[in-house]
Amino acid sequence: MARVALVTGGTRGIGAAISKALKAAGYKVAASYAGNDAAADKFKAETGIPVYKWDVASFDACAAGVKQVEADLGPVDVLVNNAGVGIVKPFVELTLEEWHRMIDVNVNALYHVTRAVLPGMLTRRSGHVCTIGSIGGRSVFAGGTCYGATKAFVTSWAENLMIEVRDQGVKVSVVMPGAVATEFGGKQPSETDVWKLRPEDVADAVAKVVLTPPNVLIHRLEVRTLTVPAKGQGK
């Protein structure tokens, strides 16, 4: 029987690439999303991957959403915490709403979704929680006071959780990409982004982490582009 993978933010950008990669690896994939219904419907039509709409910032919505996924597909064996919000601007220009939204989606959602799937994994003594972090979590940059801090939280949270559950058969990993050419942060990819990673590069890394043998855990994986960006374009 095919194992079940749930990818949050799984219909666009890096999440869509991860959903496709895990389906190609033989998983039954469920992709959650919160925003664009038309884009999600198109993704579902193109891939055959079922989509589920809920806001990961809501604990109740996550509990109900995971319950529905498991009713439709079976227990979640792999959770990819991918959903994220990135607003990069000077601290004094960040609105309260922007600050709270990043904290809710990038930090609080880790509790909301993982708390819904982890008890079942512990009962079965099998499962994998893989969270998408960022090298921005340890490399400071102007405009990253909130976003960078949320990704630093991801790294610490994942390592602490790993220590808690690895002797109960559950793996915990964090994949930390550098700059990726997506619409993340509201920007459209352009010709100046050719030096960046592709979403598929990150998805391949996630698949490698998830597909390790039962006795092997890749806890932290940093993925960078080998291409040297133009000065001031990133890392």
Side-chain angles (χ1 to χ4, degrees), residues 85 102-103 106-107 110 137 144-155:
V85 175
M102 280 190 278
I103 297 296
N106 299 359
V107 174
L110 298 179
T145 51
C146 186
Y147 176 74
T150 66
K151 291 306 180 179
F153 179 95
V154 167
T155 303

Side-chain angles (χ1 to χ4, degrees), residues 14-77:
I14 293 173
I18 294 170
S19 296
K20 294 173 186 177
L22 293 182
K23 181 182 180 183
Y27 283 86
K28 291 193 293 184
V29 178
S32 82
Y33 75 104
N36 191 316
D37 290 328
D41 290 342
K42 181 180 179 181
F43 171 84
K44 180 180 178 180
E46 292 175 348
T47 65
I49 294 172
V51 299
Y52 296 82
K53 186 174 185 178
W54 78 74
D55 186 354
V56 294
S58 165
F59 176 79
D60 290 340
C62 289
V66 169
K67 184 177 181 179
Q68 186 61 59
V69 168
E70 296 197 323
D72 293 345
L73 302 179
V76 173
D77 300 290

Side-chain angles (χ1 to χ4, degrees), residues 62 77 96 98 107-108 126 151 175 182 185 224:
C62 289
D77 300 290
L96 181 63
E98 290 170 336
V107 174
N108 293 336
S126 175
K151 291 306 180 179
V175 174
T182 68
R224 292 176 178 261

